[in-house]
Amino acid sequence: TAGSAPQPSRDKCHASGLRSDMGRAGLTLLLLPLALLAAEAEGDTGAAVEEEVKIEVLHLPESCSPKSKRGDLLNAHYDGFLASDGSKFYCSRTQNEGHPKWFVLGVGQVIKGLDIAMTDMCPGEKRKVIIPPSLAYGQQGYAHAKIPPNATLIFEIELYAVNKGPRSVEAFNQIDKDSDKKLSELEISQYLEEEFARDGKKRDPSVHDEILADIFKKNDHDGDGFISAKEYNVYQHDEL
């Protein structure tokens, strides 16, 4: 139960256990998503009854708007612990020069348990969540992050921002300047420049080129130099 789970340590994230080369491995559309928790290892999806994520709200701002939903772009810091002994296996503050992580909610950029745990969350909110193995790394575990098989995970999460996600219809239309229902390299390049200018962080110019190349590598499935509405759209029920 939540009450009997070991309490995570409150250190400065020195026990991350991750390698520095994880930072650029998961580049996707818009900024840097959380590479550690990309769904490389499938959970125990064959379970007859799916277990639940236990959520404890540690802090709730007086103004709780907007609330996060599937497809939103979130910016958050979080620490991950093994419930078995409270040892820390991940700390976002040791990655990407300590910047909070950007990722799209509900599309598999993080484990399913985190997608569930961070739904209906508002900027400034803090949560402690307990995620069962079936909604984390299941029977496989995740050796790179020293997560053993059938491990229950604890995350302490602080959410900073909830923005309209890059895979929404609105975002596609915003990027598609000429309204031809496909995105060119120039259109996406301009969009990245606008987003970088908006968040105000200093980046090496090569980061822009790396992200742009990665976007087309992962999304231009037919290799025609454009990302069509179908290639871009990760939501089955959205229509462009």
Side-chain angles (χ1 to χ4, degrees), residues 29-50:
L29 185 57
L30 189 62
L31 305 180
L32 299 174
L34 204 165
L36 162 69
L37 298 174
E40 297 172 357
E42 296 181 0
D44 187 8
T45 56
V49 178
E50 192 170 79

Side-chain angles (χ1 to χ4, degrees), residues 132-210:
S134 62
L135 297 173
Y137 291 96
Q139 296 178 357
Q140 293 184 358
Y142 189 21
H144 189 75
K146 299 182 180 179
I147 299 173
N150 299 313
T152 296
L153 307 181
I154 298 174
F155 284 92
E156 292 183 352
I157 306 164
E158 182 174 5
L159 183 61
Y160 294 103
V162 178
N163 298 326
K164 192 173 293 295
R167 297 286 184 158
S168 65
V169 174
E170 294 87 349
F172 184 94
N173 291 335
Q174 179 185 350
I175 302 170
D176 184 22
K177 302 290 188 184
D178 58 9
S179 301
D180 63 353
K181 299 300 180 184
K182 59 183 180 180
L183 307 180
S184 66
E185 286 195 18
L186 178 60
E187 287 173 327
I188 294 179
S189 176
Q190 291 175 340
Y191 180 68
L192 288 174
E193 289 174 357
E194 292 169 1
E195 289 299 317
F196 287 169
R198 186 175 292 115
D199 75 13
K201 295 185 178 71
K202 292 183 179 180
R203 295 179 176 84
D204 188 280
S206 64
V207 173
H208 172 279
D209 295 338
E210 289 176 4

Side-chain angles (χ1 to χ4, degrees), residues 61-104:
E62 290 185 10
S63 176
C64 186
S65 178
K67 288 191 174 184
S68 59
K69 64 183 183 304
R70 184 174 186 263
D72 283 342
L73 181 68
L74 306 188
N75 185 233
H77 264 317
Y78 37 85
D79 300 337
F81 308 84
L82 297 180
S84 59
D85 60 8
S87 62
K88 184 176 292 185
F89 63 84
Y90 181 73
C91 173
S92 63
R93 291 172 176 82
T94 65
Q95 306 295 311
N96 193 28
E97 298 182 347
H99 296 307
K101 301 301 179 181
W102 291 93
F103 67 95
V104 180

